[in-house]
Amino acid sequence: MSYIKDNFLLSDGFAEKLYFSYAKDMPIIDYHCHLSERQIAENKKFNDIYDIWLSGDHYKWRLMRNYGVSEDYITGNKSNREKFKAYCATLGSAFGNPLYHWSQLELQEFFGCEVEINEKNADAIWECCNNYISSHGVTPQSLIERSNVTHVFTTNEVFDDLSVFDEISGKGYRFRVCPSYRADKMVNIEAEDYNVYISKLGAVKDLNDFENRLETRLKEFLHAGAKASDLSLQRVYPVSERETAEKIFAKRRKGDRVTAAEAEQFKGYLTYYLFKLFAKHGICAELHIGAMRNNNSAMLKKIGPDTGYDSIADDNSIYCMSRLFDRLNSENSLPKTIVFNLNPKMNTEIMTLIGCFQSDEARGKIQYGPAWWFLDNKVGMRKHLQDLTATGHIGAFIGMLTDSRSFLSYPRHHYFRRILCNYFGEMMSKGEMTSDIEFVGNVVKDICYNNAINYFGGK
């Protein structure tokens, strides 16, 4: 039987009461993920547990590589069953890793399988889950609805075809799927295929034309239901003058390479332009910083990006972020912003900075986003909550996200909710905060769902 019991991560009666009476059954708004909107629209039945659980999930791939598993069993030519068994063998001794918990929760919540995940149980788990998939016709729709999700914000390139969202809206699902305006490929001017990406917007002549097309596309995203944008930077760059950005853009459009310094100047300007655009059209900016990407060039060439070869960067964005926010704020052009930070050393620096730019435009207008990617584990979540309560206002927090490519990732919300309830429960037991369970419970409900719904513009 599984080691996960009803009181998993809940250390006292306060924590249990908060979780089971207030947090557990709250709906989910998944305001940042990498699920495929095309898969959601097609809603095809999954073939087997590998198809849902391991295909495309670089969190799991990375763990397997750390255990010395051959790439043949990760992204190679081994069968789905062989890859699944290799993951089970890996997970058996990965004590404390969030996947050790998440994967067990996923099996229990979606398949009713309470067998501990390890090498000896792999065959039994394979049969149990596949029998469930076969008999219940498991599809993306069924998994999302079973998880009580009301909104899914997918991540879409600026040039993506948005017609699929109309297709989804006509299917009568019990949840909404909205695109998020992802501008990374527009910003990363040094990329080999940069001009290929720009050409997807049409015959872009110059920076002015480029900016107009970016705004036109944003309007199309808004028409498709977009509530958020998405931009990922290793760090925030100084805002350069528009004339400088014009020259750099023209140089790159001619097919010439740009220097590292020129790339940073262009990124600084375009980040500023995009934030002004988001404020103009009332869309939230989701800013991700602190990821150092594609460290292994050999594997990048072999299997491409987003395959488990990124890490935490040590770049310090705090001064440039301050100057960016201050300039935007002075121009009345600072949008609602969620800052996702991947380097935990910067938690308090960023938390105290965003406190300088709040307003009554929204409760927690500038959000310190939840523990993200390498930090969405028990240690990272708890540190996030500690830093948020110490230097911000946890009652305004918009809660957890999945940031996932897997339709089975929604138990991560329950994982977070248990940690949140335990955090409050411990303080209540020690007499460090009110013991009014109903009052605290309503704050928990706000953090789990209500704050996010209000932040993104209501139901």
Side-chain angles (χ1 to χ4, degrees), residues 58-109:
H58 60 75
Y59 279 81
K60 297 183 176 75
W61 297 350
R62 185 182 180 93
L63 186 68
M64 294 169 77
R65 293 183 188 119
N66 281 336
Y67 198 54
V69 175
S70 167
E71 197 68 26
D72 290 342
Y73 291 87
I74 303 171
T75 61
N77 295 322
K78 294 295 183 181
S79 69
N80 287 2
R81 184 166 188 155
E82 288 173 310
K83 291 177 179 177
F84 174 82
K85 292 178 69 174
Y87 178 64
C88 289
T90 298
L91 203 65
S93 56
F95 313 129
N97 188 283
L99 285 165
Y100 184 75
H101 292 151
W102 294 347
S103 298
Q104 198 72 56
L105 287 168
E106 289 163 9
L107 286 192
Q108 289 181 217
E109 290 195 24

Side-chain angles (χ1 to χ4, degrees), residues 17 25 46 50 105 136 157 174 185 271 325 367 422:
K17 180 69 173 177
D25 295 324
F46 290 104
Y50 169 86
L105 287 168
H136 289 78
E157 303 297 344
R174 297 200 305 269
K185 286 183 169 61
T271 299
F325 286 178
Q367 289 277 329
N422 194 62

